[in-house]
């Protein structure tokens, strides 16, 4: 057999040779340093046979930044973690332990709860394993042999995985620990030079809240200590920028166990929320949208008509009223907007009809999935639905794309675009989906927006363009979405009267550009590290009177700034002047006016956020400077 190396040369090998055999044929040093193979571009365990004619690349410890090399390193580190946990906690049940972006985790059912403080002892045990050295052996076994092995070891989660596994069963063994695993793994533990266990979390077995809640231990590993140190430094900076921490520091919002996943917005948080709401309303008005308001609760029959009862009811909060009547809180606005459009006849002259609504929505997210503002149960979407004729689709998609570019450009956010295509549980025919998907593809290409395809990730009623951005920890979250739908309007019997005096089908563009106010604000806080632009800042100016005798003048200045539509507050606490100025810096207030004996409205001592020293500005100059930083109109 022959394989082709990255430089294009052919390497002849005995039939059935593995990637490790190929590395040995090239040279002993390469074989010693090898950690993973890429076969025809796909990562593969070094021990597995390579097909005749394959393109082969051997990754080594020198490829310490390669994502696939880090993947196999972290996968092996996860198995070291499992071995250490079993040694330290007899009776623990082992679940799954995959590598993930930036690290790995392993899920366990502990006989007694563990705490963050216990991670240090587990780390020490892993270091002892590394000092002893570990090699990974791969064995292919029958399903029954694997089942009996894990039954004898009292590992119920492994037995369940064996029973539901597809294809061949493979086991990996290091030390006295054997795991059910597809691989790949390192040859030995030598390349694992640096690792860190980073935290604990709860996780339901197989993500189902009806199942046992397990303990998830997170960690990460690198080929060098320098790479780990740099990663931990990034994590520390990310924690400082975590929107949950900033929400407390800036006094914007909090969460309470009495309503999990539902933010309590403080006055300053609502000030920020309302600035975004004012922007939404003014831009919608300029772009021809009509503001509407629809009910929060609907009966079951509406959700059956829309298709949500069959496809989405597990995520809906249901309200049984009596034996005959079942209602649900709305998780989205679209069915209500369908009823609104259907409430009267429409002519072709009426189209397009653009409804906008930012009403409260409720989604029954799993408790384990809740995460600050980025995954909540109480959602406020900047929702809109455009009802249009077929020949208006392109124009309306173009308008939504232009709106999207303007809005994200205000914040310097460059999201990744995903074209989410038909799911398995779709409504409608393939021909209908061919049409709607082609329209979204054409819109992306007209606007020269790069995108990747999310196969099967579309809504059950139509394909969509999803916009994704990362939070401070590098996790990707969906923000806005633009969807094209032929199914839901048909299910509601929506039509318009054409110029030919006949009824024609209506198409709907579902459009949310913030996505949700909650998630968008969370990501904005992290994007700006809490130092929001002046036009967005909940408090734009803080007035700090030097002494009690200056309180009256400070209050008068506050009133004057309020009259000029500046968001302002006075800090007249009985604290030192230095502490109050420092608190304003921690609150990331853009302007601080220190008012003492020498200050007048024509000459105020003004400190700009992030600047050095003090400037002298008049009241008019300060107001003008703030106004100049308002967002531009396109």
């Amino acid at each position: 057999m022959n394989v082709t190396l990255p430089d294009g040369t052919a390497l002849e090998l005995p039939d059935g040779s593995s990637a490790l055999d190929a590395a040995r044929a090239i040279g002993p040093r390469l074989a010693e340093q090898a950690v993973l193979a890429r076969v025809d571009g796909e990562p593969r365990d070094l021990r597995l046979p390579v097909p005749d004619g394959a393109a082969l690349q051997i990754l080594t410890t020198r490829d310490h930044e390669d994502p696939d090399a880090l993947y196999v390193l972290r996968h092996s580190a996860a198995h070291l973690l499992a071995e250490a946990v079993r040694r330290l906690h007899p009776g623990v049940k082992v679940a799954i332990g995959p590598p993930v972006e930036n690290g790995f985790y392993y899920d366990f059912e502990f006989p007694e709860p563990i705490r963050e403080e216990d991670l240090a002892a587990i780390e020490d045990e892993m270091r002892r394993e590394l000092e002893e050295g570990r090699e990974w052996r791969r064995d292919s076994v029958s399903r029954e042999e694997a089942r009996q092995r894990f039954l004898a070891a009292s590992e119920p989660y492994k037995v369940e995985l064996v029973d539901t596994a597809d294809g061949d069963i493979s086991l990996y063994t290091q030390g006295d620990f054997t795991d059910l695993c597809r691989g790949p793994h390192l040859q030995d533990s030598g390349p694992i030079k640096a690792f860190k266990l980073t935290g604990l979390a709860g996780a339901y077995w197989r993500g189902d809240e009806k199942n046992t809640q397990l303990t998830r231990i997170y960690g990460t590993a690198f080929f060098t200590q320098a790479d780990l140190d740099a990663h931990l430094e990034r994590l520390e900076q990310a924690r400082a920028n975590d929107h949950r921490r900033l929400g407390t520091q800036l006094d914007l919002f909090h969460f309470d166990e009495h309503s999990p996943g539902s933010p309590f917005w403080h006055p300053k948080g609502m000030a920020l929320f309302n600035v975004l709401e004012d922007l939404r309303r003014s831009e919608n008005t300029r772009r021809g949208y009509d503001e509407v308001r629809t009910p929060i609760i609907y009966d079951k029959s509406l959700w059956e008509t829309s298709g949500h009862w069959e496809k989405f009811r597990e995520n809906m909060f249901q309200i049984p009223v009596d034996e005959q009547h079942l209602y649900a809180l709305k998780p989205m606005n679209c069915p209500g907007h369908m009823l609104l459009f259907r409430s009267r006849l429409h002519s072709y002259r009426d189209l397009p009809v653009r409804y906008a609504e930012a009403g409260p929505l409720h989604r029954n997210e799993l408790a384990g999935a809740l995460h600050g503002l980025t995954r909540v149960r109480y959602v406020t979407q900047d929702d809109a639905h455009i009802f249009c004729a077929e020949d208006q689709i392109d124009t309306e998609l173009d308008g939504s794309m232009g709106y999207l570019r303007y809005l994200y450009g205000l914040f310097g956010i460059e999201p990744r675009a995903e074209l989410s295509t038909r799911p398995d549980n779709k409504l409608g025919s393939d021909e209908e989906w061919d049409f709607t998907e082609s329209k979204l593809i054409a819109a992306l290409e007209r606007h020269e927006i790069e995108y990747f395809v999310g196969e099967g990730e579309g809504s059950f009623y139509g394909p969509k363009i999803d916009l994704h951005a990362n939070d401070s920890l590098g996790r990707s979250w969906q923000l806005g979405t633009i969807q094209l739908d032929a199914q839901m309007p048909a299910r509601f019997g929506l039509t318009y009267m054409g110029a030919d005096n006949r009824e024609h089908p209506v198409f709907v563009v579902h459009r949310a550009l913030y996505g949700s106010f909650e998630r968008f604000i969370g990501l904005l806080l992290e994007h700006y590290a809490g130092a929001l632009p002046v036009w967005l800042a909940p408090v734009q100016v803080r007035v700090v009177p030097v002494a009690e005798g200056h309180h009256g003048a400070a209050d008068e200045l506050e009133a004057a700034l309020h009259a000029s539509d500046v968001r302002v507050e006075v800090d007249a606490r009985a604290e030192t002047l230095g502490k109050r100025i420092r608190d304003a810096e921690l609150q990331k207030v853009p302007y601080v006016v220190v008012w003492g004996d020498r200050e007048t409205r024509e000459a105020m001592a003004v400190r700009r956020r992030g600047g050095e020293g003090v400037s002298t500005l008049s009241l008019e100059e300060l107001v003008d400077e703030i106004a100049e930083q308002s967002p531009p109109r396109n």
Side-chain angles (χ1 to χ4, degrees):
M1 61 175 283
N2 288 279
V3 296
T4 303
L5 302 178
D7 62 2
T9 61
L11 177 66
E12 185 175 351
L13 297 166
D15 288 344
S17 293
S18 67
L20 188 55
D21 294 329
R24 289 171 179 147
I26 296 170
R29 185 169 179 79
L30 177 65
E32 180 183 340
Q33 295 181 345
V35 297
L36 184 69
R38 279 203 191 104
V39 179
D40 293 328
E42 295 296 323
R44 190 178 177 91
D45 195 289
L46 289 163
R47 304 157 185 79
L48 292 175
V50 179
D52 185 20
L56 176 64
Q57 180 185 7
I58 306 294
L59 299 182
T60 73
T61 53
R62 294 191 299 275
D63 299 301
H64 63 99
E65 294 182 350
D66 187 283
D68 288 337
L70 284 168
Y71 181 96
V72 69
L73 182 90
R74 289 163 179 168
H75 198 175
S76 301
H79 280 224
L80 292 179
L81 165 61
E83 181 185 354
V85 166
R86 285 191 62 189
R87 285 172 176 253
L88 294 176
H89 298 272
V92 71
K93 306 300 181 189
V94 180
I96 57 171
V100 292
E101 188 176 6
N102 294 323
F104 60 86
Y105 69 78
Y106 218 114
D107 290 345
F108 304 95
E109 182 185 343
F110 284 93
E112 298 291 337
I114 68 166
R115 302 169 300 170
E116 295 277 350
E117 294 78 20
D118 297 316
L119 296 182
I122 298 173
E123 282 186 350
D124 288 342
E125 183 64 21
M126 292 174 68
R127 291 189 185 94
R128 191 183 66 77
E129 293 168 359
L130 290 174
E131 289 172 2
E132 292 177 354
R134 291 290 186 269
E135 294 183 355
W136 275 269
R137 186 183 77 246
R138 185 182 191 278
D139 297 300
S140 295
V141 300
S142 69
R143 187 180 305 276
E144 185 57 27
E145 181 182 344
R147 193 175 196 282
Q148 292 303 320
R149 182 165 189 161
F150 289 117
L151 275 173
S154 298
E155 291 287 5
Y157 300 108
K158 296 300 179 183
V159 173
E160 183 176 336
L161 290 171
V162 169
D163 289 342
T164 57
D166 295 324
D168 297 334
I169 302 294
S170 58
L171 306 178
Y172 280 84
T173 300
Q174 96 270 356
D176 58 6
F177 177 66
T178 297
D179 205 356
L180 173 73
C181 186
R182 295 182 184 276
H185 281 282
L186 298 170
Q187 297 182 70
D188 57 56
S189 59
I192 304 176
K193 301 298 185 185
F195 73 91
K196 178 71 177 174
L197 299 183
T198 54
L200 294 175
Y204 293 109
W205 170 237
R206 295 197 153 179
D208 188 339
E209 63 181 346
K210 299 182 182 69
N211 292 336
T212 304
Q213 186 171 43
L214 307 175
T215 299
R216 177 168 294 178
I217 300 180
Y218 283 100
T220 192
F222 289 87
F223 286 96
T224 71
Q225 185 64 43
D227 287 346
L228 174 61
D229 291 343
H231 174 74
L232 294 177
E233 185 177 342
R234 288 192 298 270
L235 278 183
E236 192 58 38
Q237 183 60 49
R239 289 189 189 97
N241 294 339
D242 189 306
H243 75 273
R244 294 168 297 178
R245 176 180 176 276
L246 290 168
T248 300
Q249 177 184 329
L250 305 182
D251 192 22
L252 302 177
F253 59 85
H254 80 279
F255 290 87
D256 191 282
E257 61 183 9
H258 292 291
S259 185
S262 302
F264 288 72
W265 291 98
H266 298 192
K268 290 177 183 176
M270 277 309 299
L272 168 57
F273 197 106
N274 287 335
V275 173
L276 293 174
E277 169 66 342
D278 291 344
L279 175 65
R280 180 195 72 89
R281 282 191 166 166
S282 63
E283 280 300 311
N284 280 350
T285 299
R286 288 199 323 111
R287 296 168 189 268
Y289 290 83
D290 292 314
E291 196 76 18
V292 299
R293 180 71 68 187
T294 54
I296 296 175
I297 301 173
Y298 297 89
D299 67 3
K300 175 184 173 183
S301 65
L302 175 90
W303 305 112
E304 289 175 329
T305 300
S306 70
H308 289 96
W309 194 255
E310 178 186 354
K311 313 289 187 181
F312 200 76
R313 69 175 176 268
E314 290 184 357
N315 295 96
M316 297 168 67
F317 287 103
Q318 300 173 28
I319 308 171
V321 176
D322 52 44
E323 292 182 0
Q324 286 78 36
H325 297 92
L326 180 61
Y327 291 78
L329 293 171
K330 66 178 178 182
M332 62 278 298
N333 288 308
C334 23
H337 287 191
M338 301 293 157
L339 294 181
L340 195 60
F341 185 87
R342 197 175 71 179
S343 66
R344 70 176 182 86
L345 297 175
H346 290 274
S347 158
Y348 69 95
R349 294 186 182 90
D350 299 327
L351 302 185
V353 172
R354 305 184 186 99
Y355 292 147
E357 178 175 8
L361 308 175
H362 291 82
R363 297 178 180 178
N364 191 13
E365 300 281 1
L366 294 175
L370 299 176
H371 181 81
L373 294 178
T374 50
R375 179 75 73 183
V376 292
R377 287 176 172 163
Y378 173 35
V379 183
T380 312
Q381 279 192 333
D382 62 323
D383 226 342
H385 293 93
I386 304 169
F387 298 81
C388 64
E390 181 176 333
D391 61 2
Q392 296 172 326
I393 291 173
D394 290 345
T395 300
E396 294 308 310
L397 288 176
D398 287 345
S400 294
M401 302 288 265
Y403 195 169
L404 178 154
R405 279 192 144 157
Y406 161 73
L407 191 68
Y408 283 44
L410 288 179
F411 308 100
I413 294 175
E414 297 182 2
R416 301 177 305 284
E418 175 186 11
L419 175 67
S420 300
T421 59
R422 67 197 77 182
D424 293 336
N425 66 343
K426 73 181 191 304
L427 299 174
S429 67
D430 283 334
E431 290 75 17
E432 291 170 318
W433 280 79
D434 288 341
F435 174 77
T436 51
E437 287 176 358
S438 69
K439 284 294 185 181
L440 294 186
I441 291 170
L444 286 164
E445 292 177 349
R446 279 197 305 276
H447 291 266
E448 299 180 342
I449 295 176
E450 293 185 7
Y451 65 94
F452 63 97
V453 176
E455 295 286 353
E457 295 297 321
S459 296
F460 62 87
Y461 50 79
K464 53 183 181 169
I465 298 168
D466 289 331
L467 290 309
H468 299 265
N470 287 355
D471 66 9
S472 63
L473 292 174
R475 289 167 298 203
S476 180
W477 297 95
Q478 181 190 321
L479 294 178
T481 184
I482 299 172
Q483 308 171 11
L484 181 57
D485 176 15
Q487 302 306 318
M488 205 178 302
R491 290 172 74 95
F492 280 89
L494 304 187
T495 61
Y496 71 93
M497 194 64 68
D500 57 2
N501 207 31
R502 294 183 178 182
E503 288 187 86
H504 295 268
V506 172
F507 289 82
V508 173
V509 176
H510 303 245
R511 191 235 67 198
L513 301 183
Y514 293 145
S516 81
F517 281 79
E518 290 79 11
R519 181 175 291 178
F520 197 75
I521 288 172
L523 290 174
L524 279 183
L525 289 172
E526 298 187 359
H527 179 64
Y528 291 112
L532 295 165
V534 173
W535 67 275
L536 263 183
V539 176
Q540 296 169 310
V541 177
R542 180 173 290 180
V543 181
V544 180
V546 173
E548 186 173 352
H550 305 117
H551 287 183
D555 291 342
E556 291 174 4
L557 177 59
E558 179 186 28
L561 287 166
H562 269 310
S564 298
D565 295 325
V566 174
R567 295 186 292 279
V568 56
E569 65 181 10
V570 174
D571 184 357
R573 293 175 299 157
E575 299 283 357
T576 65
L577 178 64
K579 184 178 189 309
R580 286 181 287 152
I581 292 173
R582 176 60 179 157
D583 285 348
E585 293 173 353
L586 292 174
Q587 289 273 306
K588 303 184 187 293
V589 177
Y591 294 94
V592 178
V593 176
V594 179
W595 193 281
D597 290 335
R598 293 179 293 182
E599 274 64 48
T600 67
R601 293 196 185 187
E602 286 69 42
M604 301 185 302
V606 179
R607 295 171 178 265
R608 295 181 182 88
R609 180 178 62 198
E612 295 182 3
V614 179
S615 299
T616 301
L617 295 177
S618 68
L619 173 60
E620 183 180 358
E621 288 171 335
L622 177 59
V623 170
D624 287 346
E625 185 172 316
I626 292 171
E628 287 169 2
Q629 297 178 70
S630 297
R633 300 298 189 190
N634 67 343

